Each structure stands twice: as C-alpha cells, then as structure tokens.
Amino acid sequence: MALTGVLRPGHAQVRVLNLEESIRFYRDVLGLVETGRDAQGRVYFKCWDERDHHSYVIREADSAGLDFLGFKVLDKATLERLEADLRAYGLQTTRLPAGDLLETGERVRFELPSGHLIELYAEKTIVGNGVGLINPAPWDGAREHGIAPVRLDHALLYGPNIAEVQKIFTEVLGFYLVERVLTPDGQDNAAIWLSCSHKVHDIAFAEYPEKGKLHHCSFLLDTWEQVLRAGDIMSMNQVAVDIGPTRHGVTRGCTIYAWDPSGNRFETFMGGYQPYPDYEPLTWTFDNFGQGLDFPQRKLHETFLSVVT
Amino acid sequence: MALTGVLRPGHAQVRVLNLEESIRFYRDVLGLVETGRDAQGRVYFKCWDERDHHSYVIREADSAGLDFLGFKVLDKATLERLEADLRAYGLQTTRLPAGDLLETGERVRFELPSGHLIELYAEKTIVGNGVGLINPAPWDGAREHGIAPVRLDHALLYGPNIAEVQKIFTEVLGFYLVERVLTPDGQDNAAIWLSCSHKVHDIAFAEYPEKGKLHHCSFLLDTWEQVLRAGDIMSMNQVAVDIGPTRHGVTRGCTIYAWDPSGNRFETFMGGYQPYPDYEPLTWTFDNFGQGLDFPQRKLHETFLSVVT
Amino acid sequence: MALTGVLRPGHAQVRVLNLEESIRFYRDVLGLVETGRDAQGRVYFKCWDERDHHSYVIREADSAGLDFLGFKVLDKATLERLEADLRAYGLQTTRLPAGDLLETGERVRFELPSGHLIELYAEKTIVGNGVGLINPAPWDGAREHGIAPVRLDHALLYGPNIAEVQKIFTEVLGFYLVERVLTPDGQDNAAIWLSCSHKVHDIAFAEYPEKGKLHHCSFLLDTWEQVLRAGDIMSMNQVAVDIGPTRHGVTRGCTIYAWDPSGNRFETFMGGYQPYPDYEPLTWTFDNFGQGLDFPQRKLHETFLSVVT
Amino acid sequence: MALTGVLRPGHAQVRVLNLEESIRFYRDVLGLVETGRDAQGRVYFKCWDERDHHSYVIREADSAGLDFLGFKVLDKATLERLEADLRAYGLQTTRLPAGDLLETGERVRFELPSGHLIELYAEKTIVGNGVGLINPAPWDGAREHGIAPVRLDHALLYGPNIAEVQKIFTEVLGFYLVERVLTPDGQDNAAIWLSCSHKVHDIAFAEYPEKGKLHHCSFLLDTWEQVLRAGDIMSMNQVAVDIGPTRHGVTRGCTIYAWDPSGNRFETFMGGYQPYPDYEPLTWTFDNFGQGLDFPQRKLHETFLSVVT
Ligand SMILES: CC(=O)/C=C/C=C(/O)C(=O)O
Ligand SMILES: CC(=O)/C=C/C=C(/O)C(=O)O
Ligand SMILES: CC(=O)/C=C/C=C(/O)C(=O)O
Ligand SMILES: [Fe+3]
Ligand SMILES: [Fe+3]
Ligand SMILES: [Fe+3]
Ligand SMILES: [Fe+3]
C-alpha cells in the first residue's frame, strides 16, 4: 500500500471480440472464477485467491483493448483526498456511480497523458477466496481449474508521454519507480515499472506514439512449476503464445506472454523480488533491453515492441 | 509499508554463547554475508538480497536470546512523528545515537508490555545486493553460499500481554492483524501475526508468562526447493532441526525451524500469500492449532509451545 | 529392466477393512484411477500415467496387509524361464490362471523366506494413460484429481531372513543391491534396497521377526512441489501422516509416509538418483539410520521400525 | 540397461575450436568436473553425480562436431558378445586399446550408416561422485559450481538412413523405440528416440542428408528450477541460447538448447517420463512437430532443423 492509501490494481476492463468464446477462455483456460454478469452484458471474473468480487471484466466490442484500470484505495476518505489531489495537480476527474460496476462503490476516473483511463475506488463487495476465514486450507479445487492464477497483478500500458505519467503516479498517487529501461540515447525512459506496494510492479508503462494501448494484463502464479503448467495448458488449448516460459531480467519475474482469443496479450508469471520505497531504482540500458525482456535468450522479441491492443 | 511510514523489520540483535562458532554458523551454514564488526565485538550480517548494511547482529553473552528488533521507517520526519505518537500513547522512548549500531542512524527504542525492546530508525547505509543497479543479473554467487536466505523476514516473540502489544502495533505503528490463534476458551488471542506491508507477517507474538522471549527470527527463501536445500545443508552441518520441512497452515508459509549453536531458534521459509489492510484476519481455533503449525502433520509440536530463548 | 527380463513392480494387492471407505480414499484422495471390480469384490486401480490395466488392487478383509506383490516380465518365454530358475534355486512355485486377476495373464507365484508372496506375470491389458499415442499431451486432467501419483513405484516389506531374500532377488531375478542399512553390530543388513531397473529401488526389505509384513507401497510423484501438494491434500482429507514431507538420506527420495484408512502405510515420493548395475551399493551405518530415514531431521522415527500391517 | 547388457551412453568426444576457452566454458559455466588431460591434449570431464572417470572429452580441432559416442556395457563378456553380434549383422568393428582414452578399457568401435562412430566399452575407472559410499549426503558443493548437470544423458545425431540405424540399435544392441516424428508424407520416420534403459532416450537420430552430424549432447538436471538456473547462468556468461527454457512435447522433457563456444549445441534438461520396453512408441505427425519440439510455443524453430556441427 502506498502512503497515500492506494492499495492495488483492483480491476481491469478489457474489450473482447466474441463474448462467448472469451468467457470459455477466461473461465476454463485461464481459470478465472466467473462472479457475475451485468445488464450491459459485461462478464465479471476474479482470480481464485482474491477476496473482492471481481478483478477482471470483459465486454464485447468491435476492437480489443483496455477500457480502464482501477486501483482500490483504503477507504472513502482516501478516495476523496486523492480526487482532490488529482484535481490540484491539474487533472480532470469524473465520478462513476456506485453499482455501475457490479458490487463496486463510486469510482473516480481520470485520463493519463498516455491516453489510459485510470480509476480509483474504495469499495467492492468481499466474496472471499473460497477457503473461509476460520482454519482455512491453503487452497481448494479452484486452484486447479485451468491455469488458475492467484491474483490480477499488474498491467503494462503503451502510450505517449510516460514521463508525465510517472510524475502523476509518483507525485500524486504515491507510487515509486522500481525499474526502468532507458531510451537508446540514454536521455529518457523508454519504459517504467511503478509500485504502490512491495510488488515489483503494480503498473508499468512504455513510451509509444499511439494513445491508450494495452500491452498486457498480468496474472500471478505461485511457482515456476505453475508457469510450466500454464504453458502446458496454453498448448493443450491452442492459445497463441508470444514469449516464454522465461525469466524477465527486469523485475526477475518468470513469465509467459500469450494472447486471449481477441488478441489481448496477457501474462502468467511468478517471482521477482520485493522492493521498498527506499530502494534505488534499477536501470536497464536500451542496448541490453533484450536481456531485460528475456534473460536467458537476451532477445528483444519484435512483438514486444509492436503488438498491442 | 504501513501508512505510518514503517517499512520493515530491518535488524535483530541476538545473543550467542560462542562468537566464533556463531560466526561460522551464520556465515557459512545459514549463509549470511558478514558486513562488519564493531568495538563492542558485535558481528553484523545481511542477507544476500538485502541492500542495507545489515539485518542481523550477534553479540556474545552468557545467555541466548533477543536484545532488540528494529524497524526501518521511511525518513527522519517519520521517525520523529512515530516517537511522538508512541509517547502520546503512553510509552517511554529512548534515543540511541547514530553510529551506536554500525552504519545506522539514530534509533528510537521502547519496551513492549511483552518485555521486548523494539526500535525504529530511518537511516542505514545502503551497500547494495551485489548485482548492481545497472542491468543487474537476478542473483550472483552469494545466493549459493550456505542456505543464503533472501532477507530477514519476521520474528515471532513470546511474552505476556499480547493484547496490549497488538494495540500498540495496530493503533500507533500502523500494522494490521493478518492471522491469529484463539486461546482454548476462544475468548482471547494466543498468538497474533501482524503486517506493516503485504507480507503475511512482519512480526508475530504468542502469549507467554515470561517476558522478552525469542521464539524465532525468520529468513526468507525463494522456493520450496530452496527449503529442501536448506534442510540438506542443515543436516550436512549437524544443525539441530526442530520442525519441518513442512507447510504452516497459519500464513501458508513453507518452513523449517531449527536452532543456532546457542539454541536461538531460526526459521528458513518461503511462500504464504500477500495480504492487504482491507483483508479480514484469518482465525485459527486452538483445537486446530496443530494444523495451523504443521499443516500436513496436524501436530502441535511440544517444542513450539515451550522452547524459547 | 533386469537382464533377466524382470520389468517392474506391476501390481500390489492390499487388504482393507472397509471397501467403500477405501475406494473413496484411493480414488478421490490418493487419486488413483479405478479400472475395474471383479466377482470376488476386489477393486482395481492404476496411476494416471501407467499404461497397464491396474497396479493396485484392494480387497476387504478382517486385517490389513499385503496379499502379494507382482512383477511384470518381458514376455511369456521370460516367465517360463524365470519359473524354471526359481525352481532350480529350490523355491516352490504355483501358477494362477489368466483372468484370476482382471485383464491379467497367468501368474507364477512363490513365497519368500520373509513370508511375502511374490508373483511374476507377462501379460496385462494395455489401457493407456489417457493422452493417446499420437501427438500426446504431457498430461491431462487425471493428473490433478487427488494426489494423483505417476506410478506404483516400489514397496518396502518387513520380515525375517532378508539375507536369503536378497540372494533370490539378485541371483535368480537379476536385481542388484542399491543401498543398505547395517545392523548395529555392522555384521548384517538391517534393510536392503534392490533395483531391477535404474530406479533407486523396485523393492526393499527390512529384517523383522514377523513374517509377511507390509511397511509401505510407494507411489511416485514428479516433483517436490507435488509432494507438498500431497501433504496439503492429506491434511484437507484427515489422512493420518506418519513422516514428512522430508528427504530420505537413503535413496535421496523426497517423501511423505501416511496411512490409508485401514492402517496400511503408503508413501508418496519423488526424486532419488538413477543407479546402474555397475554402481557399488551405498551403505548406511545403523547409528546414522536416522539421517538415512529423515535427512533434515536425522531422526529414527519410532513408527518406522515398529508399525507395519 | 538393455537385455543385451548395454548400460548407458558413457562418453562423448567433441571437437572444439579453442581448447582453453572451451575448458573454461565446460568447467566453469556448464560446471563439469575436470578429471584429466592426456598426451594428445584431450581434456576429460565428468558430471558431478557420475561415478565413472569421465563422460565428456574435448579436443581442439579446426571444425566443431562429434568424434564418437561410447556406450558402457555390463562387462567384458558382454563386449565380446556384442562385437560378435555387430559383425554377424554385417558391420565392421575395430578395437581401440585400453588406455587410449584415459582410465578406460578396450573399446569396440563401428560406424553407423548415418556416419557416426559409436563405441562400446566395459571398463572405466570408478572415481565416485564425491559424497562417498558410506552415509552419503545427497550432494555436495560440486552440485552448485556452474550449471552442474547430474549426468551426460543422451545425444541427438543427424545423418542419413536412420531407418537402418534404428535396426542396428533395436535388433543388435537391444534398444527400443520410445518416440518418433513422421516425415511429412507419414511414410517414414524423420526422427527417432531410442532407449536402452527407462530413460526416455539414450540416443536419438534425425534424418539428414549430411553424414555424422551432431545436433546436441544432453546433460541432465534434477528440476525445472535447475533449468531456470541454467538459463540464468547462460545469460550471465553470454552463452548463445538456441531454444528454451521450454518443454518438449516429444519426451515431455524440459529443456534449454544452447551452443558451446565452438558452436556445438548442448542441452540442459530435466524430466520426461520413464518408459519400458513393453510400451508402444509414441508418434508425432510432422505437421505437429512444432508442438513436439516446443510444447508451449508450438513452433518448429528453424535452427532445430538446420544448425548442426
Ligand atoms: C506457528 C504457526 O502456526 C505458523 C507460523 C507461521 C510462521 O511463519 C511463523 O511465525 O513461524
Ligand atoms: C527408510 C529409509 O531410510 C529410506 C527409504 C527410502 C524409501 O524410498 C523407502 O523405502 O521408503
Ligand atoms: C526435438 C524434439 O522434438 C524433442 C526432443 C527431446 C529431447 O530431449 C531432445 O532430443 O532434445
Ligand atoms: Fe508483466
Ligand atoms: Fe515464522
Ligand atoms: Fe519407499
Ligand atoms: Fe535432447
């Protein structure tokens, strides 16, 4: 949790081309738990070990991509304060009413210079992770239905002006910079990894000319063996795999990038280290970005730089 | 990091009966990195992936046990504020001068009703984790010298009046309760696990008649395979093992408890989940504490309840 | 496979006190695949990755224990030859007709001096492991139903005169000694591990005054993480756990010993090394048997020596 | 061990372009144990857990590639018999005197139709794996020096007429076919995996117009986590990585292919299943070879088909 009271990425809403096919994919292959559908036809999912009502929402649309990403904050007072801080910083905010997203309180939304819609919210119905609050087992059958990630972990977004985005996240929202890749001339950041916790990233951005692009939403697995299992399940289900299994140099995380049926990249990953706000950021030079992306292969896969939704 | 700016358990000072034997143990068997010795004869260690100068200090004494446990806070202003808050709460605090512990700034110390000395400090020299800040490899040879934990993770302390201890940690220092074990009559807590981060515990307490007792300091490993390796190394080096390898039900962590040559219990563990302040605490009933302690065995090992230093 | 053509332990028949309860245990908790029931009321199981019709058979009886253990041999000519060799060695053999065990050819049975009934057979219907013979996936859902071992791996039997048993296995059946534990006086073997393959043991024996006792049947898992998962599932299902998770010093295997509902011990384990007939056997002195049994703990658990069925 | 008495691939001799650079690579990066040098300038290595004097020999030459691959057989009588069998089959054999390879007995050499030199030998000095024969620890420091594979496991060779090669290995030497990839027309085998044990392959061949080519020698690791560690070490040491970490569909093995400093591909891998001679071979159709090679990616990497030494 940031000192500001920002807790974690709590939901992403993603556009899919075919709702039924996507439900099958997210429920049975990625192994999310379906928790609801709303009047707009949106379908709500959570990861098995999450306790809030949902973390991933899909809606059918003509093009894939990210509608918005929401961060849960500590409470309503925090929400008020952060809205005031965003406005004081010069950003416009809008309010979405409680219930607009199922089981979710009021949301404060603003647009980043990179073109992404970010939301803050303080309330979402707690549904639990299925093992209860008294003498809980460490897991139950839901952990083994499909890939079954533990939680929505972070997202990597592509868009312009990430220097200004970084300022908003660090100066207003209380995030800190964990790692970064320099531009070829070494003068700017080509990509930044930001944390509001001790996760190696809660959100990341890469500089990109087009606004509002999604590189990937990332789902956490517990172990490297679960990453292998994820790759097996992807192959058994004809999921298009992009990169991995491998280790990122950046963040040390162990990963597979793949695409959902609509072409939205997602990541199943584990590992990395646990940074603190008093850590100096780690820096990757552009010439070594290949090692940062794919540590064993040291290869700057072309799709990483160019394929987004 | 707590909203109050408390970052993490940053050092423990532990008494050992024979300094040379203990140095060999902590350096070559547990695999800590020795970083200094001071005029008082204390020896300083850090875990390989920690960046601050030290996290574990030993001194020779006639009896084993814990001298004090220190938490790093965000900055000097935070230190001032927390000292004021502790005093306002009714606790006495004392200041230890910068340099009293090597490479460490001023410390604010207070005594818990459980008889433990807790310190806060804002400054410690950053020495890095050995892989540098530019294009860092995920690890280096230090990761494989001895058991080689990643960091000092938490401590479990035994003493009286943990209800009051819990109040201090939650109401003054900004910790939150993650899990607890009830007393047999279900009216009180027999043990509490508290977090100032998203770690499943930064500190834990068990109710115990005697004041100021150490149950264990705990060192983090990355994987269950590293826990097996730790057990192998313990056996190869005649380390006295208490419990494990096994999984705790409480915290889900995977663990070995063992004793240093002086009889101070330590833990090498991995795993658990990552809680947030908006999570309801998990509760273990006393009749099921066996499963909480040793999930596969469901056994309330007698040593757990009675052997402390 | 031994030079004699003995392939592997192919089936064990075990007595259980309550058939229905045992079916639920073996099918849903241990996660064997039920493949048949016969007119005598016996229930047949296989492990998910085995290709033959069954490897584990249970029948209801008044006392728990092992009825017999069968080894598959290469073909009918091998069966004839080995029967002749056993007789030439001085052992009585009897023939059980094809079909006596479901989907199984004729069996040659003999009794060891230790009181155990051992069988050889050449034919059992191949039912496959569920992933097919063309472009097979590495696993399917059966791998995650219950503990779901890969195969029946070995058994440890207790009885008198294991020196003579060893002669039969090595001189007639083509096994070789992989490891052994000496008696306290160092003059004899207290326990022997024998292989007819490159498995670290296909069968093992410990000297024991009573005849025909079962210490455990052992089921193979792929990884140490699967051993942890097995322990979790045992705890979730109130299975009585004996020892582990831990590593055996003997064989290096990583193990949990537990009991089925009738008190038959079984093992879920992984690992060890892969010996060859040209390897010198490894020897454990009796004073160090604790480390051989439980490498991290170095503890000669009392149940290991005394609890058998 | 095959019924014929063929035990395992016991040594490979490989040509390197620069001896000193190669010694550093094989000793410090791959982590083999150097065990000797001979008058011809050859350097001998073993894997840490192997007991024989060496399994991998390098010599400096103008071009990279494989000189020969040797299989250890049970004893001298077996060597005589197999030589007679090879001759009876119509192959020419030659004898290399004891001592020609350090600490190695007489070798029987023959050439395959694929152009590869294969040797059989019965004797090589046992040097042990470093942990002794009495109360051995499961491993020692050698396991963590460099990648440190457990053993030389298999080789994949490219050359013409693998149908005839298969006949020699199965009809004369007692191997059996474990898996195969069909040619595009489904009439022949494009690649075959052969075992003389319960390893999923002791040797493999792919049809290729040029004679005597080496695709890779393969070194066994214990776990998927060790494969990740191998990839880390490769990257830290600028080793050219070809494919992986990933899982092969063929054999289920988990792998990294990389190149030594001379361009000889090698593999570090773990896993797979343990077949028996009574198993029907598994068949991969050519259109699905991508999944056979790289299960998660389902990609028939071009280098796999074309880069050999
Ligand atoms: C004792 C218990 O039930 C669980 C403990 C979890 C821990 O990591 C620990 O504090 O050692
Ligand atoms: C009992 C002992 O020391 C080692 C045993 C190894 C085994 O896999 C077993 O037979 O269970
Ligand atoms: C090439 C392929 O499809 C599978 C190969 C499996 C192996 O272990 C190997 O020979 O490298
Ligand atoms: Fe990511
Ligand atoms: Fe602990
Ligand atoms: Fe066993
Ligand atoms: Fe291979």
Side-chain angles (χ1 to χ4, degrees), chain C residues 172-292:
Chain C
V172 187
L173 297 175
F175 288 56
Y176 61 100
L177 181 67
V178 180
E179 305 205 17
R180 61 181 179 149
V181 178
L182 297 178
T183 49
D185 65 7
Q187 299 302 304
D188 296 288
N189 293 336
I192 52 176
W193 285 260
L194 300 162
S195 180
C196 63
S197 62
H198 311 299
K199 287 159 58 182
V200 76
H201 45 346
D202 284 292
I203 192 163
F205 291 91
E207 189 72 32
Y208 194 70
E210 232 178 309
K211 277 193 153 192
K213 290 299 171 187
L214 172 65
H215 189 275
H216 67 268
C217 289
S218 184
F219 296 92
L220 184 68
L221 298 175
D222 272 327
T223 67
W224 176 230
E225 186 164 319
Q226 296 300 309
V227 174
L228 178 65
R229 179 180 174 275
D232 288 341
I233 291 174
M234 289 175 192
S235 186
M236 292 171 191
N237 290 281
Q238 288 80 47
V239 174
V241 171
D242 179 16
I243 299 175
T246 193
R247 184 202 285 281
H248 293 305
V250 180
T251 77
R252 297 187 198 163
C254 297
T255 182
I256 300 176
Y257 284 151
W259 287 285
D260 83 354
S262 307
N264 293 300
R265 192 190 280 95
F266 67 97
E267 181 180 37
T268 55
F269 94 111
M270 62 74 60
Y273 57 96
Q274 291 187 277
Y276 277 83
D278 62 335
Y279 277 27
E280 282 183 76
L282 303 182
T283 297
W284 294 80
T285 53
F286 193 84
D287 63 300
N288 204 36
F289 193 5
Q291 198 179 37

Side-chain angles (χ1 to χ4, degrees), chain C residues 53-69:
Chain C
H53 179 265
H54 62 267
S55 60
Y56 200 76
V57 183
I58 58 174
R59 76 169 173 96
E60 196 168 276
D62 289 340
S63 66
L66 178 76
D67 281 338
F68 53 81
L69 187 70

Side-chain angles (χ1 to χ4, degrees), chain A residues 1-9 48-52 72 74 126 129 131-139 143 150-151 153 174 176 179 196-199 202 220 222-223 247-249 252 270 272-285 287-289 291 295, chain B residues 1-9 48-52 72 74 126 129 131-139 143 150-151 153 174 176 179 196-199 202 220 222-223 247-249 252 270 272-285 287-289 291 295:
Chain A
M1 171 171 51
L3 277 184
T4 54
V6 177
L7 292 178
R8 62 178 170 269
W48 78 267
D49 201 23
E50 290 171 330
R51 303 195 188 180
D52 286 349
K72 194 175 190 187
L74 189 63
I126 294 173
N129 65 358
V131 296
L133 298 171
I134 315 288
N135 300 330
W139 52 275
R143 192 186 70 162
V150 166
R151 69 170 180 226
D153 190 84
Y176 61 100
E179 305 206 16
C196 62
S197 63
H198 310 298
K199 289 160 56 182
D202 284 291
L220 184 69
D222 272 327
T223 67
R247 184 201 287 278
H248 293 305
R252 298 188 198 163
M270 60 75 59
Y273 57 96
Q274 293 187 277
Y276 278 83
D278 62 335
Y279 278 26
E280 281 183 78
L282 303 182
T283 298
W284 294 80
T285 53
D287 63 300
N288 203 35
F289 194 2
Q291 198 180 35
F295 193 75
Chain B
M1 173 171 50
L3 278 184
T4 53
V6 177
L7 292 177
R8 61 177 171 270
W48 77 266
D49 201 24
E50 290 171 328
R51 303 193 189 181
D52 286 351
K72 193 174 191 189
L74 190 62
I126 293 173
N129 64 0
V131 296
L133 299 171
I134 314 289
N135 300 330
W139 50 276
R143 193 186 71 162
V150 166
R151 70 168 179 226
D153 189 84
Y176 60 101
E179 304 205 17
C196 62
S197 63
H198 310 299
K199 288 160 57 181
D202 284 292
L220 184 70
D222 272 327
T223 68
R247 183 203 286 281
H248 293 305
R252 297 187 198 163
M270 61 76 58
Y273 56 97
Q274 292 187 279
Y276 278 84
D278 62 334
Y279 278 25
E280 282 183 75
L282 302 182
T283 298
W284 294 80
T285 53
D287 64 299
N288 203 37
F289 193 5
Q291 197 179 35
F295 193 75

Side-chain angles (χ1 to χ4, degrees), chain D residues 39-107:
Chain D
Q40 297 175 38
R42 294 183 294 192
V43 184
Y44 293 68
F45 298 97
K46 66 182 281 292
C47 298
W48 77 267
D49 202 22
E50 291 172 329
R51 303 193 189 181
D52 287 350
H53 180 264
H54 62 266
S55 60
Y56 200 77
V57 183
I58 58 174
R59 74 169 174 97
E60 195 167 277
D62 289 340
S63 66
L66 178 77
D67 281 339
F68 53 81
L69 187 71
F71 287 86
K72 193 173 191 188
V73 302
L74 190 62
D75 52 25
K76 289 178 93 159
T78 303
L79 189 65
E80 303 295 331
R81 184 173 35 76
L82 286 169
E83 180 174 37
D85 292 346
L86 287 163
R87 286 173 182 255
Y89 186 85
L91 289 161
Q92 283 196 341
T93 64
T94 55
R95 288 255 173 174
L96 293 111
D100 172 75
L101 270 181
L102 282 190
E103 306 290 339
T104 307
E106 225 180 350
R107 290 133 63 209

Side-chain angles (χ1 to χ4, degrees), chain B residues 203-214:
Chain B
I203 192 163
F205 291 91
E207 189 71 34
Y208 193 70
E210 231 178 311
K211 277 192 153 194
K213 289 298 168 185
L214 171 66

